[in-house]
Structure formats: structure tokens, C-alpha cells
Amino acid sequence: MESNIFYTTNRNIIKNIWVIPIVLFTVACGWLIAKKGIAIGVIFLVLPFIVGFVTLVFLKPRIGMFTYIVYVFLMPTIGKHVPGLQAGLGTDALLFLTLFAVLFFRGDKFKFRYINNDLFWTAVVWFVITILQLGNPERPSILGWVYEMRSATLYWILTIPLAILLFYKKSDINTFLTIIIVLSFIGAIYGVKQQKFGVDAAENRWLEEGPKKTHVLFGKLRVFSYYSDAGQFGASQAQIAIMCIILAVGPYTKKKKVIYAISGLVIMYGMLISGTRGALFGLVGGGFTFLILSKQIKILLLGAIVGGGALGVLKYTTIGNQNAEVRRLRTSLDPKDASLQVRFINQKILADYIRNKPFGAGVGTMGTWGTIYNKNKYISTIPPDSLYVKIWGMYGIVGFLIWFGIMMYIMGKSAGIIWKTRDPILKNQLVSLCSGAAGIMLCSYGNEVLNAMPSEAIVYTSFALIWLSPRWDTPEPKIVEVTESEESVYA
């Protein structure tokens, strides 16, 4: 009898022993949260989901790439709402995880010869130039280089080959467009919420940490939605708005055209409430590119008249001045604007400083990372205000000319691919992608846009899809010559 009781007791202990590690794990989690803060708690909470997601990406790397596109939209607001969490590193993690899955787990499935193209090798060229900047005579901080190079070249050289390898289906271009339009539309709605009802506690804390001086002007909020800042929000909204407008005039059903048109108008309103004056040039650059790519003189002339008329109204009239957003937008066309004059002064100071530095002052010496890791260098005190100016300062005139030449080559080659496309729906989609990218490149003259998310991911993925498109294009119908004798047989 005693032996049976002993046996039963031991069996119950063994059966329930799994409770012990759970209790220990729970206690450890509680201790870490108490010591390190809520960020650790969030990590432990999502850990099981992370493990499941990693497994899923190893099985289907395409999921990792689509998740990356979604994440770059939401990443800034995650960082604002979870103190202490370096949300930006999630971008790196997703890209490297997807790359690891492609190379080591599913490498036999992909045809790597497809990335052997000029789009990929131009990215490699810029990556090598950035690495060579480690030997810059100015000896900038290595940490500054590490943080800056991520947006300057790392995301570029990772996004393009991964998109080429993983977005191999024609339907992927539809999926990509749907994701960025839906997230931009939601971003515009959330921006309206901020404008009408104010920001939440986490967003207010972020404003009070410094950005308030540029995001609250004359008591009015420059809306930033769930993006990193108002500048990126406005430029990105302009990019997607012009893409929606181009899609709305494409060869689709009436219902689809209406959806694109409404989305474009709502997103354009998001651009307006951002108070980002440079975003106007996203519409102008994208619209002009669309007119050129259309290759139709009538559309080009009509578009030029409408676009020129709209700009004329902004520059030479006071129509709409009762609206704060329109008033601010109007100042973007004023060459005497005080902010613009300050930028010109800063550019002159920079020109004098790097006059004898053909390779610049080094990567990571300007902007945010410059003020953090290279505060002992004079160049870190000069606001770049523009991606073009920043590249000029960091890489010098030599590096800037190479970068600008690469960008112009990519845009020119994209136009050539689009002109040869025969499928009308595919062509319209490619025109929208190329026009949106052109708009972002023009916006980048006034702000740091192309080196920030989500614009960077959208632009480089757009280029990859354009390079992929010839394999999806509908072939021209073959013309078969029929002889007279064959005609009589067919008759």
C-alpha cells in the first residue's frame, strides 16, 4: 500500500514538473521588468511570436520582405510609444533575417543570376565608396559611420537584391502597391486625428524632448502621424498621393479608379496638414515624370497647363490664404523666404569648409549622428537641411557627383524600361512607381527624405520592381504571313 502511494506521488510530481521552469521564467521576467523597465516586459511578451515569425520567414522568406515594408511605416511610432526600445534596429533585423533565410535555408529555390544587373551593382559601388570613407583623412567617429551608413547604403544594398529575388510574381507589384497605399491612407487618417484631437501622451513626450520647436509653429501642430517626423510624413504622403492619381487614370475598372482617386485625395490632405513645404515638389516632380513617361504630347501639354496654373495660383495670388496649410505651402515658392535664405547661408558655410576636402568630412559627421558622435568637428554644427547637402558634406564633391550620377542613371534606365513595356496595366503601375520615386528625389533637395523610412524602402523596392517588370510584360502578338493558297484553305 505504501509503495503504491509513493509511486502515485512521484508520478504526480513528474507529471507537473513542467510548472517549475514556467514559475522560474515568470519570476525572472518580473525581476527584469522591475530592474530594466517596461521595454524588457514587452520583449518577453512578444518573444513567442518572434520565435514563430522567425520560423515562418525561414520557411517563406517572402513573408520577411513584406513584413519589412509594413514595419518601416510603423517603426517610428513603436519607438515613440515604447521607451528604451531601439525600434530602428528592427529594420536591420528583418532585412538580415530575410537575407539569412534566403542564403542558408532556401538558397536552392532562388535564381541568384537575376541580381547580376546594373541596378544591384550600382548599389555595390556606393556601398564600397561608403566603406572606403572609413579611411577619410578627417578621421570621423567609427560609431557615427556605423549609424549613418545604415540609411546611406546598407538598406539600399539589402533591399534591392532581396526584392529582386523574392518579388518574382507579377501579382507582387499589386500586393506592394496595396500595402503602401493602405498604410499611407491610414497614416493620413491618423494624422487628421492628431490635428483634430491632439497627440497622445507618448507623442507629446517625444515633442517635449526637442522636436516641439519644429513641429509646433505659432501654436499649430505640424502633423507627423505615425511617421518619424512631419517632414517624412509630408514627403511620403506626396509620393503616394501622386502614385494614386496616376493609378486613377490607368486602364482599370471604374470602381478601382474611384478607390485610387479617393485614396489620392485623402493622402494629399495628409500632405497638406504636415506643413512640409518641400512636399509640394514631390507632387511636381512626380507629376512631371508622369507626363514625360506618358509619351503623349496632348497629355503633356494639358498636364503642363494644369500644373503650371496650380503653381501660378500659389505663387501669384492669395487664394486660400485663410487656410494655414495653404499659406505655409505658398512660402515654398517664395525665393525670399527666411528659412530658405538660412539654408543658402549654411550651404555657403559648408562650401567654404570642404573647399579643400574633395572626399568630404566623412560619413556620420553631419546631421543627428554628427551631433552625437562627431560633436568635436565643426561640420557637425552645420545643419544639412537637405540630403543633397548632407551627401556633399560627408562624401565631398567627388562622392556627391558619383551618387547623383547613379541616381540619374537609375531614373533614366527606369524610363527606358517603362517606355518599352507593352502591357497597359503593368505600364501604368510602373509609371506610378517611377513617378513616386522621382518625387521623393526632388523632395530630398529640401529635406532628408530618401535616407529615411518608409520612403527609402518604397523607392528602392520600386526600382527593383521596375527592373523585374520585363519578365512580366505581355509579348507582342506574332504576325503570321499567310500565302494565297493558305487563304483559300482557311476560307
Side-chain angles (χ1 to χ4, degrees):
M1 185 70 177
E2 290 181 0
S3 61
N4 287 338
I5 294 173
F6 179 76
Y7 174 76
T8 303
T9 302
N10 283 345
R11 187 174 62 177
N12 289 336
I13 291 173
I14 294 172
K15 183 179 179 181
N16 297 307
I17 199 169
W18 59 270
V19 176
I20 297 174
I22 292 179
V23 171
L24 292 175
F25 179 75
T26 304
V27 171
C29 288
W31 181 82
L32 282 172
I33 292 172
K35 289 289 185 181
K36 303 296 183 180
I38 191 65
I40 295 295
V42 172
I43 292 174
F44 277 115
L45 183 65
V46 301
L47 189 60
F49 299 98
I50 292 175
V51 173
F53 174 73
V54 169
T55 304
L56 197 59
V57 172
F58 284 159
L59 295 174
K60 294 185 177 181
R62 285 160 51 82
I63 293 175
M65 199 59 187
F66 280 122
T67 304
Y68 160 65
I69 300 299
V70 174
Y71 182 77
V72 294
F73 275 87
L74 305 178
M75 174 261 296
T77 198
I78 293 173
K80 291 184 180 76
H81 286 82
V82 185
L85 181 66
Q86 296 292 322
L89 295 177
T91 304
D92 307 62
L94 280 170
L95 285 171
F96 278 111
L97 172 64
T98 307
L99 179 66
F100 188 70
V102 168
L103 292 178
F104 299 103
F105 285 83
R106 307 290 292 178
D108 58 325
K109 183 180 178 181
F110 301 103
K111 298 177 180 178
F112 289 93
R113 68 176 183 271
Y114 286 133
I115 65 173
N116 184 21
N117 56 52
D118 44 0
L119 180 64
F120 173 68
W121 289 113
T122 52
V124 171
V125 167
W126 189 246
F127 183 73
V128 171
I129 290 173
T130 303
I131 292 176
L132 292 175
Q133 276 286 335
L134 284 169
N136 191 291
E138 297 297 305
R139 296 288 183 266
S141 164
I142 297 296
L143 276 176
W145 180 91
V146 169
Y147 279 98
E148 186 67 51
M149 65 83 65
R150 293 160 63 222
S151 61
T153 184
L154 182 63
Y155 300 150
W156 179 358
I157 201 173
L158 290 177
T159 299
I160 284 177
L162 286 175
I164 290 173
L165 290 172
L166 297 172
F167 293 162
Y168 50 82
K169 298 179 181 179
K170 189 175 182 179
S171 60
D172 288 337
I173 193 169
N174 296 310
T175 305
F176 174 70
L177 286 169
T178 300
I179 289 173
I180 62 176
I181 290 172
V182 168
L183 288 172
S184 298
F185 184 89
I186 296 172
I189 298 300
Y190 189 78
V192 173
K193 173 264 171 190
Q194 285 183 335
Q195 183 194 41
K196 302 297 183 183
F197 303 104
V199 298
D200 63 28
E203 292 162 347
N204 185 65
R205 182 178 61 248
W206 173 77
L207 286 171
E208 294 297 337
E209 288 172 353
K212 185 175 182 178
K213 62 183 179 182
T214 56
H215 283 72
V216 181
L217 303 178
F218 307 106
K220 190 171 182 63
L221 176 71
R222 287 183 60 203
V223 172
F224 52 89
S225 185
Y226 47 57
Y227 294 65
S228 59
D229 54 63
Q232 176 59 210
F233 175 54
S236 181
Q237 293 278 282
Q239 176 189 16
I240 308 302
I242 194 66
M243 290 174 66
C244 286
I245 292 169
I246 293 169
L247 291 168
V249 298
Y252 307 102
T253 62
K254 186 176 181 180
K255 179 181 178 180
K256 210 166 186 179
K257 287 184 175 185
V258 169
I259 292 173
Y260 282 136
I262 293 174
S263 299
L265 291 174
V266 172
I267 295 170
M268 190 179 295
Y269 183 72
M271 180 206 78
L272 286 173
I273 61 178
S274 73
T276 305
R277 295 173 294 183
L280 173 65
F281 296 101
L283 295 180
V284 173
F288 181 73
T289 303
F290 163 63
L291 296 176
I292 295 296
L293 293 177
S294 67
K295 292 179 68 176
Q296 296 185 34
I297 301 298
K298 290 183 180 179
I299 293 179
L300 180 61
L301 290 175
L302 179 61
I305 291 170
V306 173
L311 291 175
V313 168
L314 277 176
K315 183 171 177 60
Y316 298 109
T317 74
T318 58
I319 297 174
N321 257 10
Q322 66 274 14
N323 185 284
E325 285 78 22
V326 173
R327 284 200 307 273
R328 181 164 174 80
L329 199 63
R330 182 165 274 130
T331 61
S332 64
L333 300 174
D334 181 8
K336 297 180 180 179
D337 179 66
S339 177
L340 182 62
Q341 294 304 314
V342 170
R343 293 183 180 217
F344 287 153
I345 293 171
N346 288 334
Q347 290 174 25
K348 186 178 184 306
I349 294 171
L350 179 62
D352 292 337
Y353 179 76
I354 64 170
R355 190 180 304 279
N356 299 318
K357 298 178 178 65
F359 302 105
V363 174
T365 54
M366 295 190 77
T368 301
W369 306 123
T371 58
I372 295 175
Y373 296 107
N374 288 286
K375 60 178 67 177
N376 60 322
K377 297 188 178 299
Y378 176 70
I379 194 172
S380 67
T381 65
I382 305 173
D385 297 321
S386 158
L387 177 61
Y388 291 67
V389 173
K390 190 175 188 179
I391 290 176
W392 175 35
M394 294 193 306
Y395 291 86
I397 189 63
V398 175
F400 173 78
L401 290 176
I402 294 173
W403 175 83
F404 190 73
I406 289 174
M407 289 300 163
M408 290 301 99
Y409 173 77
I410 293 174
M411 288 300 301
K413 180 72 178 285
S414 296
I417 293 172
I418 292 169
W419 279 331
K420 293 177 183 178
T421 303
R422 298 177 294 272
D423 184 332
I425 292 179
L426 178 61
K427 186 170 186 174
N428 176 259
Q429 292 173 328
L430 299 180
V431 169
S432 72
L433 293 173
C434 188
S435 299
I440 285 296
M441 289 187 64
L442 193 56
C443 283
S444 295
Y445 177 74
N447 295 285
E448 291 185 53
V449 178
L450 183 55
N451 62 335
M453 294 296 182
S455 295
E456 186 169 12
I458 295 173
V459 168
Y460 293 135
T461 303
S462 295
F463 288 144
L465 290 170
I466 292 171
W467 251 254
L468 282 167
S469 64
R471 73 173 82 165
W472 302 326
D473 196 15
T474 304
E476 291 179 324
K478 293 182 179 179
I479 300 175
V480 181
E481 294 184 4
V482 181
T483 62
E484 291 183 4
S485 60
E486 288 175 326
E487 284 182 353
S488 62
V489 172
Y490 291 136

